[in-house]
């Protein structure tokens, strides 16, 4: 069996790989590891626990709460709340530990457990490894008054919404917005925060029933949002995912504005306000070349990391950068959040629209998004992808053909025996042709 923790907590089929027993064991072990590392030193520990709207969150959160309280940790139950909301309240309430039950944009049958340390930050790999190693070990159980207590925190939505609205500098009155809540964790707090900031909000996919999260809606299914924006004559639309840690946008014509474009808009806004640390934005190697070119043309540096918001977060934390994100819509603004926050992102884009009296498509026009083709090549020995001479020669030939007008990226999958071939070019036809040619080379040279 491989490592239990993935790039974003422990995730899998609820009641399949991810059982109540596993959730309980993980929570007990997390309490022990964090306690022994001094997190709980000198006081009775407190944890906050939040969920998205999946029906499996009911039994999994019960198991997490049972594990924590059996280990002597008091628990505040937040209810359905976005992952960034749980992170915010972990810090705001002075909790020692935060736990979020969510599988983000995954289909409803999946679920996940994300642990957050004091301050609402993700655990590092060493702590996750220690939690995994300590599971199911013998331990001395507290009894009597030493067991943890359980309380509900009924004002979680109001407190988190107030925090979000407090980041906005301009009145959003006059802006009509469609918000696709993915029938997920932001179904209440998302529309509330935007309305409290002054916007007129048409909420769609905001009636969760435990079964319909991410079902044909949200940031991975933009068709409904595109139609709704045009039908309602809205200025802009935003799509969240199940736990609302990512956000994509749609302009008044129904055209998609992706995470790179959103990042470009916010980078310019922060630089204008003197809030973009070192005039640099953090992105991943999958960011569109058009984004990189636009930022450099504006005098803004781009630091690129491996794919995954945790790598963006690590770079931001280490170097002090204030803005980072991914093409998928994870946008991290470290002055206001410790993780990607979809509702915060929507509010900051609206704030920029109000400040400039410009439409989202005018703002996003700062960058020219190059056509991008991504092909997965399965059934290959991915470990040889960086060392094969023929593959390297084919990549070099493609890069010479593209020159400064495009780029090539070969990336090994972290979980499957496949290599991802990504090509950007000035036309989709050229990108598709070069990607297909490289995929054939990878398939022939690295076949298992």
């Amino acid at each position: 069996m491989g490592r239990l923790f993935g790039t974003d907590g422990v995730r899998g089929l609820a009641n399949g790989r991810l059982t109540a027993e596993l959730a309980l064991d993980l929570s007990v072990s997390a309490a022990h590891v964090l306690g022994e590392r001094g997190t709980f030193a000198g006081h009775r520990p407190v944890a906050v626990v939040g969920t998205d709207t999946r029906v499996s969150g009911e039994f999994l959160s019960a198991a997490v709460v049972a594990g924590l309280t059996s280990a002597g940790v008091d628990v505040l139950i937040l209810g359905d709340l976005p992952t960034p909301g749980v992170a915010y309240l972990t810090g705001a309430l002075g909790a020692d530990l935060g736990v979020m039950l969510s599988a983000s944009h995954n289909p409803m049958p999946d679920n996940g457990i994300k642990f957050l340390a004091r301050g609402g930050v993700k655990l590092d790999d060493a702590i996750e490894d220690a939690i995994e190693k300590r599971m199911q070990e013998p331990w001395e159980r507290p009894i009597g008054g030493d067991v943890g207590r359980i309380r509900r925190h009924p004002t979680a939505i109001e407190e988190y919404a107030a925090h979000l609205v407090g980041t906005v500098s301009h009145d959003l009155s006059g802006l009509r917005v469609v918000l696709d809540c993915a029938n997920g964790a932001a179904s209440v707090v998302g529309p509330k925060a935007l309305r409290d900031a002054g916007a007129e909000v048409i909420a769609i996919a905001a009636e969760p029933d435990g079964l319909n999260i991410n079902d044909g809606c949200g940031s991975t299914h933009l068709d409904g949002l595109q139609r709704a924006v045009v039908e309602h004559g809205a200025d802009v639309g935003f799509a969240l995912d199940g736990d609302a840690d990512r956000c994509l946008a749609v302009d008044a014509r129904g055209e998609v504005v992706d995470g790179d474009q959103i990042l470009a808009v916010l980078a310019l806004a922060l630089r204008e306000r003197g809030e973009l640390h070192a005039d640099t934005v953090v992105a991943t190697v999958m960011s569109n070349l058009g984004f990189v070119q636009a930022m450099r043309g504006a005098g803004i540096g781009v630091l690129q990391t491996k794919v995954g918001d945790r790598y963006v977060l690590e770079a931001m934390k280490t170097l002090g950068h204030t803005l980072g994100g991914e093409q998928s819509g994870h946008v991290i603004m470290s002055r206001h959040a410790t993780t990607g926050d979809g509702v915060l992102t929507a509010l900051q884009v609206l704030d920029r629209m109000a400040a400039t009296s410009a439409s989202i498509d005018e703002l996003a026009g700062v960058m020219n998004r190059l056509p991008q083709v991504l092909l997965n090549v399965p059934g290959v020995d991915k470990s040889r992808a960086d060392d094969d001479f023929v593959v390297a020669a084919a990549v070099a030939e493609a890069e010479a053909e593209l020159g400064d007008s495009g780029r090539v990226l070969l990336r090994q999958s972290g979980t499957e025996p496949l290599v991802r071939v990504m090509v950007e070019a000035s036309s989709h036809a050229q990108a598709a042709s070069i990607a297909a040619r490289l995929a054939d080379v990878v398939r022939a040279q690295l076949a298992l």
Side-chain angles (χ1 to χ4, degrees):
M1 181 178 177
R3 187 173 186 265
L4 188 60
F5 282 89
T7 57
D8 200 14
V10 178
R11 192 178 296 188
L13 180 64
N15 226 22
R17 176 176 185 258
L18 185 55
T19 63
E21 293 86 350
L22 178 58
L24 190 148
D25 289 342
L26 277 168
S27 301
V28 169
S29 184
H32 290 163
V33 169
L34 291 171
E36 290 179 3
R37 289 176 179 243
T39 301
F40 307 156
H43 68 281
R44 187 180 177 98
V46 176
V48 296
V49 177
T51 55
D52 69 17
T53 56
R54 296 164 210 267
V55 65
S56 60
E58 297 173 4
F59 80 81
L60 287 171
S61 62
V64 166
V65 170
L68 292 172
T69 52
S70 73
V73 179
D74 290 340
V75 174
L76 296 177
I77 297 177
L78 304 180
D80 292 343
L81 198 70
T83 293
V86 175
Y88 167 71
L89 287 172
T90 300
L93 297 174
D96 303 285
L97 175 65
V99 188
M100 178 67 187
L101 283 297
S102 176
S104 191
H105 60 281
N106 282 28
M108 180 276 295
D110 290 345
N111 214 323
I113 303 175
K114 306 178 187 182
F115 291 104
L116 300 163
R118 189 193 295 273
V121 298
K122 292 186 176 183
L123 303 184
D124 61 36
D125 288 346
I127 295 178
E128 288 181 344
D129 289 340
I131 291 172
E132 190 169 336
K133 185 177 180 180
R134 295 280 299 276
M135 289 174 62
Q136 296 183 325
E137 70 174 6
W139 56 290
E140 185 175 345
R141 300 168 185 269
I143 58 174
D146 291 333
V147 299
R149 305 296 297 271
I150 303 169
R151 290 181 291 132
R152 295 195 174 273
H153 190 68
T155 57
I157 286 175
E158 289 75 16
E159 291 174 42
Y160 176 48
H163 160 67
L164 293 170
V165 175
T167 70
V168 176
S169 302
H170 299 82
D171 183 5
L172 304 186
S173 298
L175 288 172
R176 176 178 288 186
V177 184
V178 179
L179 184 65
D180 182 340
C181 302
N183 289 314
S187 293
V188 175
V189 73
K192 174 178 173 53
L194 269 61
R195 287 174 181 139
D196 288 353
E200 177 188 350
V201 181
I202 298 112
I204 63 174
E207 298 181 358
D209 61 9
L211 306 175
N212 59 1
I213 187 171
N214 298 323
D215 186 9
C217 56
S219 61
T220 54
H221 303 276
L222 294 174
D223 293 356
L225 177 63
Q226 291 172 296
R227 290 193 299 270
V229 167
V230 174
E231 290 171 4
H232 290 280
D235 298 291
V236 64
F238 297 101
L240 310 174
D241 64 341
D243 70 335
D245 66 351
R246 67 170 68 182
C247 172
L248 295 177
V250 168
D251 68 21
R253 299 168 299 170
E255 297 295 324
V256 175
V257 178
D258 70 13
D260 285 339
Q261 293 168 295
I262 291 172
L263 205 56
V265 170
L266 296 180
L268 291 174
L270 290 183
R271 201 268 301 273
E272 185 178 293
R273 301 200 299 261
E275 298 174 1
L276 187 66
H277 176 72
D279 284 346
T280 298
V281 60
V282 182
T284 77
V285 293
M286 287 298 290
S287 291
N288 194 278
L289 179 59
F291 167 76
V292 177
Q293 292 172 338
M295 292 297 93
R296 289 176 178 165
I300 295 174
V302 179
L303 173 63
Q304 291 183 280
T305 73
K306 293 191 293 184
V307 175
D309 66 312
R310 73 178 302 157
Y311 302 112
V312 174
L313 274 164
E314 286 174 5
M316 292 177 67
K317 182 179 178 181
T318 301
L319 300 171
H321 293 301
T322 49
L323 179 66
E326 294 186 284
Q327 193 179 72
S328 61
H330 281 113
V331 175
I332 304 155
M333 305 185 75
S334 61
R335 287 191 65 210
H336 306 301
T338 59
T339 185
D341 190 327
V343 183
L344 174 65
T345 299
L347 283 167
Q348 291 300 307
V349 171
L350 290 168
D351 193 45
R352 183 62 170 171
M353 291 172 65
T356 59
S357 298
S359 65
I360 182 64
D361 58 303
E362 290 172 330
L363 293 173
V366 66
M367 66 166 279
N368 177 30
R369 185 170 55 184
L370 297 183
Q372 187 179 82
V373 173
L374 177 65
L375 297 179
N376 291 330
V377 186
V380 296
D381 182 358
K382 63 183 182 182
S383 66
R384 295 193 289 120
D386 295 333
D387 302 320
D388 187 90
F389 174 79
V390 175
V391 171
V395 169
E397 181 183 352
E399 290 175 334
E401 179 180 339
L402 291 166
D404 294 333
S405 65
R407 67 177 179 131
V408 174
L409 177 66
L410 262 62
R411 187 167 64 89
Q412 303 170 29
S413 168
T415 57
E416 303 172 80
L418 59 82
V419 171
R420 306 188 197 282
V421 177
M422 191 276 285
V423 177
E424 289 172 342
S426 56
S427 72
H428 185 274
Q430 185 184 28
S433 173
I434 293 174
R437 189 170 79 221
L438 289 175
D440 287 342
V441 174
V442 170
R443 194 175 294 110
Q445 289 297 119
L446 307 181
L448 290 172

